[in-house]
Amino acid sequence: MTALTEDTDGRLAEVRKQLGRVPNLYATMANGPAALDGYLAMRDKLAHGVLRLKVREQLALLVAQENGCDYCVAAHTFRGQKLHLTDEDLMRTRHAADTDPHTAAVLNLAREVMRTKGKVSDDFLAGTRAAGVTDAETAEVVAHVALNTLSNYFNHVARPELDFPAAPALTEVAA
């Protein structure tokens, strides 16, 4: 798929206003205005949820890693750096790990949702709750998995040109 070069309805101007630029993902998704509108609406609503910006960014990076989306791994590594996540933080995130136990529990929940296709066991959920993850956070984790899977799968189909620095290869992390 090709990126739109004309913004006849102002959608991409709004993206530029929010992000300071129009990543190729958005310019390509704009070929289907309803798809872009739905994606942006969900993204914008989740931005006002209970999960902090840093954790939302970590979820996006983890989901991209799990889905094998090089475009989104690169984009969310870049955004994570802008949020002052270190290279070690970013690599840990890609392994569903974090030095903060609560964030680690959130990331592990997201990975479990993905790996079980949402059929998370009662025991796993009990462990997540014991780690302090609330029902509201659990609901938003599932929503972030869905949102980011949408962009990952779209990128697999559309193959937009990478317009972020490539992310480093996945390496093991220290426990």
Side-chain angles (χ1 to χ4, degrees):
M1 293 178 73
T2 58
L4 288 185
T5 55
E6 289 188 40
D7 185 21
T8 58
D9 54 18
R11 281 179 178 85
L12 297 178
E14 184 60 30
V15 168
R16 184 182 320 292
K17 181 178 164 188
Q18 291 174 0
L19 302 178
R21 61 184 279 219
V22 178
N24 287 336
L25 160 67
Y26 295 93
T28 306
M29 194 180 283
N31 282 294
L36 181 59
D37 287 350
Y39 175 80
L40 293 174
M42 188 170 186
R43 185 201 66 181
D44 293 347
K45 289 294 184 187
L46 288 172
H48 299 297
V50 296
L51 294 172
R52 295 171 299 142
L53 175 59
K54 176 186 160 232
V55 173
R56 294 192 314 264
E57 197 58 47
Q58 287 178 280
L59 284 167
L61 177 57
L62 173 64
V63 172
Q65 181 64 47
E66 287 289 309
N67 281 327
C69 181
D70 294 338
Y71 183 97
C72 288
V73 169
H76 294 293
T77 295
F78 178 80
R79 286 194 41 131
Q81 291 166 337
K82 297 288 184 193
L83 294 173
H84 307 291
L85 290 164
T86 67
D87 291 343
E88 294 80 17
D89 294 334
L90 294 164
M91 198 57 65
R92 272 193 291 274
T93 295
R94 292 169 67 184
H95 286 281
D98 195 88
T99 56
D100 173 63
H102 183 266
T103 301
V106 167
L107 294 172
N108 274 290
L109 174 59
R111 183 172 64 184
E112 187 70 6
V113 166
M114 295 185 71
R115 290 185 175 180
T116 65
K117 297 182 178 13
K119 297 177 182 175
V120 179
S121 73
D122 291 342
D123 287 343
F124 192 93
L125 286 173
T128 300
R129 286 186 188 101
V133 179
T134 68
D135 288 347
E137 290 171 319
T138 298
E140 288 185 22
V141 165
V142 175
H144 279 280
V145 167
L147 174 70
N148 288 290
T149 296
L150 169 60
S151 64
N152 298 163
Y153 285 12
F154 181 83
N155 285 323
H156 292 324
V157 171
R159 297 182 187 100
E161 183 179 334
L162 184 61
D163 51 348
F164 294 94
L170 186 66
T171 61
E172 294 301 314
V173 295

